[in-house]
Amino acid sequence: MLNAADIAALWLTFKVAGLATLLMLLLGTPLAWWLARTTSRWKGVCNALVALPLVLPPTVLGFYLLVLMGPSGPVGRLTTELGLGTLPFTFAGLVVASVLYSLPFVVQPLQAAFAAIGEHPLEAAATLRAGPLDTFFSVVVPLARPGFLTATILGFAHTVGEFGVVLMVGGNIPDRTRVVSVQIYNHVEALEYTQAHWLAGGLLAFSFSVLLVLYTALKTHPVAHQLK
């Protein structure tokens, strides 16, 4: 059964995933909208940067985030000057790392949903003298609702399952940065396979439920078709 450390790791994981998903939606929505509509020559570069965590080893991303946010890094010096201290091995550092690592799982479904809307609904709204914000919230958001649901579920689920990035940036501090994936690793390292089975089985059931919702209830296309 789950012990106190397991429950604490689960609670911390869901807190990180919830806050990271909210931030990814706030940051990823305008970015996805721009990528879906721009004809800029920088679109390919931006798409590549957004998709980079999909192919980059998590430890590589975690290492460079650790360097950037550390005491000698530019981000670390900035946060120190602002009186915030450094981000590595803190809850805030976990959230920042999670946002950067899981961002493509939010941006790409939204980008695909925005691109699928086409120009006709936007032109119809323009003929009714709707402003850009009014058009976005009254026309684009309702039409792109499946994309928002997919982005939210995938972003949250992917953040819950992170290991390499959160271990590099957050370490293994109980009740502060020890998330559930790190806790499973601790159990395996200590040969506590029964406890590892409980946590790993829970994540397996959670992941399967997420995909089942995406592929049945929401009737979305396979993730591989969206994340390209």
Side-chain angles (χ1 to χ4, degrees):
M1 295 294 291
L2 301 181
N3 57 32
D6 296 335
I7 295 173
L10 283 168
W11 174 240
L12 178 64
T13 300
F14 286 117
K15 282 199 300 182
V16 170
L19 182 55
T21 301
L22 177 60
L23 292 174
M24 285 187 288
L25 287 171
L26 292 175
L27 297 173
T29 298
L31 177 59
W33 178 249
W34 181 80
L35 288 172
R37 298 189 53 78
T38 187
T39 56
S40 170
R41 62 179 180 176
W42 296 103
K43 178 178 179 178
V45 175
C46 291
N47 272 320
L49 288 174
V50 168
L52 192 60
L54 295 175
V55 297
L56 193 67
T59 50
V60 174
L61 179 60
F63 169 71
Y64 283 113
L65 288 177
L66 193 61
V67 171
L68 289 173
M69 298 189 299
S72 301
V75 177
R77 288 196 296 267
L78 176 61
T79 55
T80 300
E81 290 177 1
L82 294 175
L84 302 175
T86 54
L87 294 178
F89 312 112
T90 65
F91 177 83
L94 284 182
V95 173
V96 171
S98 298
V99 167
L100 294 176
Y101 185 55
S102 296
L103 192 61
F105 289 85
V106 171
V107 172
Q108 292 191 353
L110 288 178
Q111 183 180 346
F114 292 153
I117 292 174
E119 295 293 332
H120 294 300
L122 305 181
E123 292 171 354
T127 61
L128 298 175
R129 298 184 179 180
L133 285 178
D134 188 25
T135 299
F136 183 80
F137 286 105
S138 61
V139 177
V140 175
V141 171
L143 292 176
R145 186 177 301 168
F148 277 100
L149 291 174
T150 301
T152 301
I153 293 173
L154 283 181
F156 184 86
H158 188 256
T159 303
V160 167
E162 291 175 21
F163 176 72
V165 169
V166 294
L167 183 61
M168 293 289 289
V169 175
N172 191 1
I173 306 173
D175 299 323
R176 290 183 56 190
T177 62
R178 182 184 291 174
V179 294
V180 66
S181 57
V182 177
Q183 181 68 357
I184 293 173
Y185 176 80
N186 289 339
H187 283 316
V188 173
E189 194 174 41
L191 302 180
E192 299 169 346
Y193 289 163
T194 301
Q195 293 89 333
H197 273 305
W198 278 101
L199 286 177
L203 287 186
L204 177 62
F206 173 76
S207 301
F208 178 78
S209 300
V210 165
L211 295 177
L212 186 63
V213 169
L214 286 177
Y215 293 157
T216 57
L218 297 181
K219 296 182 173 61
T220 64
H221 297 291
V223 177
H225 289 180
Q226 294 181 3
L227 301 177
K228 29 180 182 177

